[in-house]
Amino acid sequence: MKKTLLALCAAILLFTSCARAQDSMAWFRSLIENARPEAADMGGWVAPEIYGVNLYPFRPAPGDTPVVRVMAGSWTGMVSYKVASVKLTWWKPGGEKTTADMKLIDETHGIYEAALPKAAAGDEVLYTVSVTDTWGNAAIQVPPGGERMLLVADTQDPALDPALDVLAVQAANYGREIMLCMELAGKPGRNIGADLLAYGVIAFSRDVRYKPSQTETELTSGWLAGHVPAFSISDLMPASDLAGALAPSKGPKKADFRKKDNQMCWRFDPATVRADYDAGLKVVGAALAVDSSSMALKISDTTRVTMLYPVVNSYRVR
């Protein structure tokens, strides 16, 4: 029995001390053992992912210096990018936020670490994690409260009409609902020449990891928080049924749409897209031109990919 215990302690020494009995590593170790992608698990659009966030000690006591460890990485895609930075943001309720870089301590498994301030009795601390890869794709935890957070930004493209140039996508978490907002370089328009204009943020409904044979249909595998000014359509709709969306609506709207100047926002229940949305929603902003004769879609501009996690981590010092 003693040898077994020593072997177990050695196996998890990288993450914690055996003196902290409450720091169960079973779930986190399972992630490490099973979160490696097979060669066949490729997709066209990939972003970094946050596989797990753990706190050590699990229940900080006064005087402890809590440590956050994160497992982050990116699944192999048609084009793969490495994680460039992992950041930890923490704050007390009603207080200012502090952000710091997390240190890579295990390159093989993608484990990052950062220490929080020394714990004091009665402290309540909230914290979130964000990850960025070398192309600018991101994974971001968005806490509840309705505060807008930038998911992805882009510089203005002089080659594009401002009405088709996407500059940023933001998100806000309202608990049971999320809001996605898209900002353009100019005001959204009805048409450019014979092309009708359409806008939206695609939230993918299938699992965020794709097989090569499914890559071509990836664009139609989610829901589009869309706006088509020419048809006065602004709602959350299946991306695979945009043509059907042009017909008069027969049911209640799935999203509350707001537009002001060059910004459009959609507020909706993320469970409409996928029930396990807290495990990550992959979102992409897009501006499209629609051929008015054939109704063919032509993507004019898209944002980089973001994994959105509408969650927050927290602890209280007893």
Side-chain angles (χ1 to χ4, degrees):
M1 181 65 180
K2 185 176 180 181
K3 290 183 178 180
T4 302
L5 181 58
L6 289 174
L8 177 61
C9 289
I12 64 176
L13 187 59
L14 177 62
F15 306 103
T16 187
S17 167
C18 292
R20 292 292 191 181
Q22 74 267 31
D23 291 342
S24 171
M25 289 300 299
W27 176 74
F28 207 57
R29 288 180 64 200
S30 177
L31 277 173
I32 294 173
E33 294 167 0
N34 299 303
R36 309 313 303 169
E38 298 178 2
D41 288 333
M42 294 183 174
W45 291 352
V46 294
E49 296 185 48
I50 300 170
Y51 299 126
V53 179
N54 274 33
L55 180 70
Y56 305 91
F58 182 64
R59 295 184 179 90
D64 285 339
T65 300
V67 173
V68 176
R69 292 194 178 107
V70 172
M71 182 178 181
S74 183
W75 286 69
T76 303
M78 303 283 285
V79 179
S80 299
Y81 304 103
K82 294 183 179 181
V83 170
S85 70
V86 179
K87 295 182 181 294
L88 178 68
T89 298
W90 68 91
W91 68 99
K92 295 180 181 180
E96 295 185 359
K97 295 182 177 180
T98 301
T99 299
D101 290 321
M102 302 191 74
K103 180 182 178 181
L104 178 63
I105 62 171
D106 182 350
E107 185 174 1
T108 301
H109 298 113
I111 309 297
Y112 295 79
E113 177 183 276
L116 292 167
K118 183 176 292 188
D123 277 354
E124 181 181 0
V125 179
L126 309 173
Y127 59 98
T128 57
V129 174
S130 62
V131 183
T132 306
D133 70 17
T134 50
W135 183 246
N137 305 310
I140 299 176
Q141 292 184 329
V142 179
E147 179 185 356
R148 289 194 195 179
M149 292 184 61
L150 179 67
L151 298 185
V152 62
D154 194 11
T155 55
Q156 188 166 351
D157 188 343
L160 286 176
D161 187 292
L164 286 171
D165 190 2
V166 182
L167 295 184
V169 172
Q170 298 174 320
N173 180 2
Y174 293 92
R176 299 182 65 89
E177 294 183 319
I178 62 171
M179 183 169 69
L180 298 175
C181 297
M182 186 166 71
E183 181 181 338
L184 301 172
K187 292 184 178 181
R190 294 171 60 90
N191 64 282
I192 295 178
D195 289 338
L196 306 177
L197 303 187
Y199 307 94
V201 181
I202 304 167
F204 293 90
S205 57
R206 282 210 303 259
D207 187 50
V208 295
R209 304 165 189 101
Y210 296 86
K211 302 288 187 179
S213 60
Q214 296 174 329
T215 307
E216 292 181 359
T217 59
E218 186 170 341
L219 183 61
T220 59
S221 71
W223 288 73
L224 176 69
H227 176 52
V228 188
F231 290 87
S232 299
I233 295 172
S234 306
D235 202 1
L236 183 69
M237 62 196 80
S240 60
D241 190 28
L242 292 181
L246 300 181
S249 176
K250 297 180 181 179
K253 282 185 170 291
K254 294 181 174 62
D256 177 34
F257 176 73
R258 303 289 174 88
K259 177 171 69 71
K260 183 178 181 181
D261 299 327
N262 62 333
Q263 192 170 82
M264 297 165 283
C265 295
W266 299 263
R267 181 169 169 171
F268 59 91
D269 181 355
T272 304
V273 177
R274 51 183 295 163
D276 58 343
Y277 59 86
D278 55 345
L281 277 178
K282 183 164 71 171
V283 299
V284 177
L288 309 96
V290 184
D291 189 305
S292 57
S293 58
S294 63
M295 299 307 292
L297 300 179
K298 298 180 288 184
I299 299 179
S300 299
D301 194 21
T302 63
T303 66
R304 290 171 171 80
V305 188
T306 302
M307 285 294 297
L308 163 64
Y309 299 84
V311 298
V312 66
N313 313 287
S314 66
Y315 66 88
R316 185 186 293 272
V317 183
R318 302 293 182 181

